[in-house]
Amino acid sequence: MGQTLPKPALRPFLPDDVPVLAAIFTASIEQLTGDDYSEAQQQAWMEAAEDEEFGKRLASDLTLIATLEGSPVGFASLRGTDHIRMLYVHPAVSGQGIATMLVDALEKLAGSRGAKSLTVDASDTAEGFFAKRGYTAQQRNSVTINDEWLANTTMKKTLGAAP
């Protein structure tokens, strides 16, 4: 018989989560974005976790933590009522529905807060994930992080549209 996998759960962000979320952030970038970004770009991106602003951004947004057996394995944050600022999943659980669970929850929360649509500045790595969820590309962006240029795409999804 197959082994039953633990069921993921969601909980709110706590200030003590910053170190483990920083570790998830860096592992995700390091191990999942190599096909889309150079090592120098990845390094510049990962350095954001070392900045004290990282924890402040998590605390100022509505940040949800995905856990397996009580341990954080991913997180997502909603800035304001209508912008997904961060979505990161540990590579060990990538492809197991954690990101889907997090974005489902953010979409429901945004809708309950009156948002008509959600936007995200999706990395090239995450663009396909968001496209499958009904997000459409609005514009390409270039951002500078520690003297490295990184591209992403602003994507938008209308929430609660009638079928």
Side-chain angles (χ1 to χ4, degrees), residues 63-145:
T63 301
L64 295 176
I65 313 291
T67 62
L68 279 174
E69 297 180 332
S71 298
V73 294
F75 66 98
S77 66
L78 184 68
R79 184 176 66 205
T81 58
D82 63 357
H83 184 76
I84 297 173
R85 189 196 310 232
M86 288 193 250
L87 172 63
Y88 292 90
V89 172
H90 194 280
V93 296
S94 177
Q96 295 181 27
I98 303 294
T100 297
M101 181 178 73
L102 285 161
V103 174
D104 283 349
L106 289 185
E107 288 175 358
K108 286 180 182 125
L109 287 164
S112 71
R113 293 174 158 201
K116 302 290 184 224
S117 63
L118 259 182
T119 60
V120 62
D121 294 328
S123 70
D124 291 352
T125 305
E127 189 175 351
F129 168 80
F130 284 104
K132 287 178 190 164
R133 296 188 55 81
Y135 289 75
T136 57
Q138 305 293 301
Q139 70 181 33
R140 286 289 285 166
N141 309 300
S142 290
V143 294
T144 307
I145 303 174

Side-chain angles (χ1 to χ4, degrees), residues 4-5 11-12 18 21 26 30 38 50 53 58 62 66-68 71-72 75 82 96 108 111 120 126 141 147 155 161:
T4 305
L5 293 173
R11 67 168 175 79
V18 172
L21 298 189
T26 56
E30 186 176 45
S38 71
E50 298 166 12
E53 290 299 312
L58 292 167
L62 188 158
T67 62
L68 279 174
S71 298
F75 66 98
D82 63 357
Q96 295 181 27
K108 286 180 182 125
V120 62
N141 309 300
D147 297 327
M155 302 181 80

